[in-house]
């Protein structure tokens, strides 16, 4: 099994006194079930695993209410191999969104206290997914974790590069120039990460075969399986159905994202989805993709000042894919060799920008960008690092950061006088007073505990 950072977060959850039932959300096929099963095997004597999508018969165990003894009795009747021992058993509810009453039971499992419950769900966050008026949730009795595709650090470890991984982490912490041997090796692996991405099945195929054509085919299969989820919800009769109108709008929106990112000004425009598209028709489709975990929304800022959320422009935003490999697979297969050989043209810039969004999001940063004068001055990303706004410019094709230098030279005209900046490129670390130049791959180790300017 691949090393996944979320495992430590699940350990931290378990260490909490009187911890509530845990729900792990995330895009389908990111590895939720695998990590939960591994954690359960390592931490509990008895594991009861129920997949509501594969075995819908288990949905009936809640029909008579939430008496825990009755629920356990019904589970045992459906599978006599399950063992329930007080304080030594974990129950895994997989695809819990397909069993709304199971979600309602979490409160009563917590109050009962004999069994721990960990749930996973791929469609939990989608607004109006469940239209059954009798649906129940356990508000106040649930803990949540979000799981993402593998980031670059996890990708390195999957490639058995633990020593390289540790060395790179130290270079960032010490803010020292990376040894040239390590630098070139990290850049080469980062290019591979751009095309392979972090979906575990895809990474596994790459490691076993080193065949990018097979990688591409698996990514296309995954994208097709995601599309099969589009527009699905549970109706009033507790049936999983699809809204055809919503499905078509989600599909068109999803197909437009790579093309919108390829525009010189890659602000998302409804008119680019299809002729005559309007916000009121497609807003729900965008939110569906975000809640599903396939894309992120990044808002423009009216002013670069903390708290950043107070200055966001909700009418101006960009959409990014949550995995670089899935974005690469949205284009023709030829882009794979182009990216690895630094010959991807306009596509290189958008894919590097997208992977930076992914790495920042994986490290729990809230993302914004800054654009004014119709894009003549644009900063790719703005985040908050410690007490100051941090500008981030991604340079995939050249190293000149005109907008970055403009803002840093005239901070008072754009917001906070304490603005700092980070330029990401293929070269080595260079330190300046207000601008740090950093190779892309080191961003994977940059988190909220690190202050690069102190």
């Amino acid at each position: 099994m691949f090393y996944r950072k979320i495992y430590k977060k699940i350990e931290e959850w378990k260490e909490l006194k009187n911890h509530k039932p845990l729900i792990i959300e995330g895009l389908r096929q990111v590895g939720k079930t695998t990590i939960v099963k591994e954690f359960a095997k390592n931490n509990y004597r008895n594991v009861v695993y129920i997949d509501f999508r594969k075995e819908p018969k288990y949905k009936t165990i809640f029909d008579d209410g939430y008496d825990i003894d009755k629920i356990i009795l019904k589970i045992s009747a459906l599978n006599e191999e399950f063992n329930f021992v007080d304080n030594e058993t974990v129950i895994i509810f997989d695809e819990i969104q397909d069993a709304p009453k199971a979600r309602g039971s979490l409160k009563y499992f917590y109050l009962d206290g004999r069994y721990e419950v960990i749930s996973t769900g791929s469609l939990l966050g989608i607004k109006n997914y469940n239209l059954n008026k009798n649906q129940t949730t356990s508000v106040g009795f649930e803990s949540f974790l979000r799981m993402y595709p593998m980031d670059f650090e996890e990708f390195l470890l999957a490639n058995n590069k633990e020593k390289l991984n540790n060395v790179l982490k130290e270079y960032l912490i010490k803010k020292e120039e990376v040894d040239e041997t390590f630098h070139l090796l990290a850049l080469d692996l980062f290019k591979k990460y751009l095309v392979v991405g972090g979906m575990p099945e895809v990474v596994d195929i790459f490691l076993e075969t080193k065949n990018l054509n097979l990688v591409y085919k698996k990514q296309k299969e995954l994208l097709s399986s995601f599309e099969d989820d589009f527009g699905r919800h549970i109706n009033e009769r507790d049936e999983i159905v699809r809204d055809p109108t919503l499905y078509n709008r989600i599909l068109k929106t999803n197909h437009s994202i790579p093309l919108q990112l390829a525009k010189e000004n890659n602000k998302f425009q409804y008119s680019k989805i299809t002729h005559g598209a309007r916000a009121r028709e497609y807003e729900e489709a965008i939110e569906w993709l975000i809640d599903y975990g396939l894309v992120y929304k990044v808002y423009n800022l009216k002013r670069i000042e903390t708290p950043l959320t107070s200055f966001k422009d909700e009418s101006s935003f960009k959409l990014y894919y949550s995995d670089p490999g899935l974005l690469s697979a949205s284009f023709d297969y030829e882009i794979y060799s182009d990216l690895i050989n630094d010959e991807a043209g306009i596509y290189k810039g958008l894919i590097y920008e997208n992977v930076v969004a992914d790495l920042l999001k994986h490290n729990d940063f809230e993302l914004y960008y800054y654009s004014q004068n119709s894009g003549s001055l644009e900063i790719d990303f703005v985040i908050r690092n410690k007490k100051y706004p941090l500008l981030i410019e991604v340079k995939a094709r050249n190293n000149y950061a005109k907008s970055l230098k403009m803002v840093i030279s005239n901070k008072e005209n754009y917001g906070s006088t304490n603005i700092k900046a980070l330029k990401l490129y293929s070269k080595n670390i260079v330190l300046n007073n207000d601008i740090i130049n950093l190779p892309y791959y080191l961003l994977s180790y940059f988190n909220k505990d690190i202050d690069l300017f102190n």
Side-chain angles (χ1 to χ4, degrees):
M1 190 192 82
F2 297 131
Y3 165 79
R4 305 301 302 273
K5 293 179 181 179
I6 198 173
Y7 193 95
K8 181 174 174 53
K9 293 183 179 181
I10 303 174
E11 288 181 324
E12 292 170 352
W13 161 80
K14 184 167 173 50
E15 290 170 2
L16 290 173
K17 187 178 181 181
N18 297 323
H19 48 268
K20 300 169 184 176
L22 178 63
I23 297 177
I24 299 179
E25 302 174 288
L27 182 65
R28 192 180 299 287
Q29 303 296 322
V30 294
K32 300 184 297 296
T33 300
T34 301
I35 202 73
V36 167
K37 283 185 172 181
E38 181 70 14
F39 180 82
K41 182 183 73 174
N42 295 337
N43 289 273
Y44 301 90
R45 180 173 295 182
N46 299 296
V47 179
V48 175
Y49 174 75
I50 296 172
D51 184 335
F52 290 111
R53 177 157 289 193
K54 287 185 177 179
E55 298 187 281
K57 64 184 180 182
Y58 282 100
K59 295 180 185 181
T60 63
I61 64 178
F62 310 103
D63 286 351
D64 295 328
Y66 296 127
D67 181 279
I68 298 303
D69 286 326
K70 289 182 179 179
I71 291 172
I72 298 305
L73 183 63
K74 290 180 179 181
I75 294 174
S76 299
L78 291 171
N79 190 331
E80 295 182 1
E81 294 183 3
F82 287 149
N83 293 315
F84 292 89
V85 179
D86 294 2
N87 304 312
E88 296 181 357
T89 302
V90 62
I91 302 171
I92 299 173
F93 287 148
D94 207 354
E95 302 292 2
I96 195 173
Q97 77 279 341
D98 286 349
K101 291 179 181 177
R103 179 90 180 269
S105 75
L106 299 184
K107 170 182 177 180
Y108 300 95
F109 273 106
Y110 173 75
L111 294 174
D112 180 88
R114 288 177 290 168
Y115 313 108
E116 296 196 358
V117 182
I118 302 177
S119 304
T120 73
S122 305
L123 297 150
L124 276 176
I126 294 173
K127 185 179 179 182
N128 296 326
Y129 177 75
N130 191 336
L131 300 179
N132 189 333
K133 295 180 181 179
N134 295 319
Q135 65 176 305
T136 56
T137 57
S138 297
V139 177
F141 292 90
E142 302 167 330
S143 296
F144 291 90
L145 286 175
R146 166 68 64 171
M147 189 171 186
Y148 298 101
M150 298 164 71
D151 67 11
F152 181 61
E153 182 178 4
E154 291 168 326
F155 181 76
L156 279 184
L157 294 173
N159 280 270
N160 295 317
K161 301 296 183 184
E162 184 174 357
K163 290 183 180 178
L164 175 64
N165 181 67
N166 294 337
V167 166
L168 295 179
K169 195 179 299 185
E170 283 299 312
Y171 278 118
L172 179 67
I173 292 171
K174 294 178 181 178
K175 289 178 283 188
E176 295 178 352
E177 185 173 313
V178 181
D179 179 271
E180 189 67 8
T181 300
F182 298 137
H183 175 66
L184 293 175
L185 179 57
L187 279 177
D188 178 66
L189 286 162
F190 192 78
K191 292 172 189 175
K192 290 181 172 66
Y193 177 65
L194 289 176
V195 298
V196 176
M199 299 301 287
E201 264 193 287
V202 178
V203 174
D204 197 37
I205 288 173
F206 172 72
L207 295 177
E208 284 188 12
T209 69
K210 297 296 187 293
N211 187 325
L212 291 180
N213 186 45
L214 294 179
V215 164
Y216 179 73
K217 287 180 179 178
K218 173 51 68 174
Q219 289 167 331
K220 284 294 191 183
E221 285 178 19
L222 287 175
L223 288 170
S224 179
S225 71
F226 298 156
E227 290 180 357
D228 190 53
D229 278 337
F230 290 175
R232 291 194 182 277
H233 64 273
I234 296 175
N235 65 14
E236 293 85 349
R237 295 183 296 278
D238 221 18
E239 301 165 328
I240 299 176
V241 296
R242 192 201 306 274
D243 179 333
T245 300
L246 180 57
Y247 167 79
N248 285 321
R249 288 175 178 171
I250 296 171
L251 193 66
K252 289 177 182 177
T253 302
N254 184 50
H255 287 173
S256 81
I257 292 171
L259 301 177
Q260 302 232 24
L261 286 172
K263 294 192 281 92
E264 186 172 347
N265 175 7
N266 52 13
K267 169 188 170 183
F268 190 87
Q269 295 175 288
Y270 290 99
S271 61
K272 300 297 182 181
I273 299 175
T274 187
H275 179 70
R278 298 288 182 268
R280 64 178 180 273
E281 298 171 335
Y282 284 88
E283 282 175 337
E284 185 180 2
I286 289 174
E287 292 308 311
W288 201 101
L289 288 168
I290 293 168
D291 293 342
Y292 185 58
L294 187 56
V295 303
Y296 311 126
K297 179 186 277 188
V298 179
Y299 287 106
N300 190 14
L301 290 173
K302 299 174 182 177
R303 184 174 173 83
I304 306 172
E305 192 167 337
T306 58
L308 297 175
T309 188
S310 297
F311 299 94
K312 71 179 180 183
D313 179 359
E314 296 196 2
S315 67
S316 181
F317 61 89
K318 300 178 183 180
L319 296 179
Y320 293 97
Y321 262 43
S322 60
D323 179 72
L326 294 178
L327 176 61
S328 296
S330 300
F331 301 105
D332 294 333
Y333 173 66
E334 286 71 24
I335 197 174
Y336 285 59
S337 59
D338 290 345
L339 281 167
I340 290 174
N341 295 317
D342 283 330
E343 299 172 351
I346 186 174
Y347 297 105
K348 182 179 177 182
L350 74 93
I351 289 173
Y352 273 80
E353 189 175 320
N354 196 101
V355 75
V356 168
D358 290 342
L359 296 179
L360 289 169
K361 197 70 177 178
H362 288 186
N363 285 329
D364 298 324
F365 287 105
E366 290 298 321
L367 307 185
Y368 303 89
Y369 74 101
Y370 182 71
S371 179
Q372 66 170 223
N373 300 329
S374 300
S376 60
L377 187 152
E378 182 161 326
I379 305 297
D380 294 325
F381 299 102
V382 183
I383 63 173
R384 178 168 181 165
N385 182 220
K386 298 299 183 180
K387 297 180 180 179
Y388 48 82
L390 179 63
L391 315 181
I392 299 176
E393 189 108 344
V394 186
K395 308 309 295 182
R397 284 169 287 176
N398 62 70
N399 296 323
Y400 187 60
K402 178 181 176 182
S403 294
L404 206 64
K405 292 178 180 179
M406 176 68 74
V407 175
I408 290 298
S409 300
N410 303 276
K411 297 179 184 179
E412 64 280 357
N413 295 335
Y414 299 98
S416 171
T417 57
N418 199 28
I419 296 173
K420 308 291 184 184
L422 194 61
K423 183 174 77 176
L424 301 172
Y425 63 167
S426 61
K427 296 185 179 182
N428 221 311
I429 295 177
V430 177
L431 304 179
N432 294 309
N433 289 333
D434 287 331
I435 301 178
I436 290 180
N437 301 277
L438 209 65
Y440 318 110
Y441 55 80
L442 287 187
L443 192 67
S444 195
Y445 309 100
F446 177 55
N447 58 55
K448 292 182 178 179
D449 295 326
I450 294 176
D451 187 347
L452 292 175
F453 295 87
N454 195 355

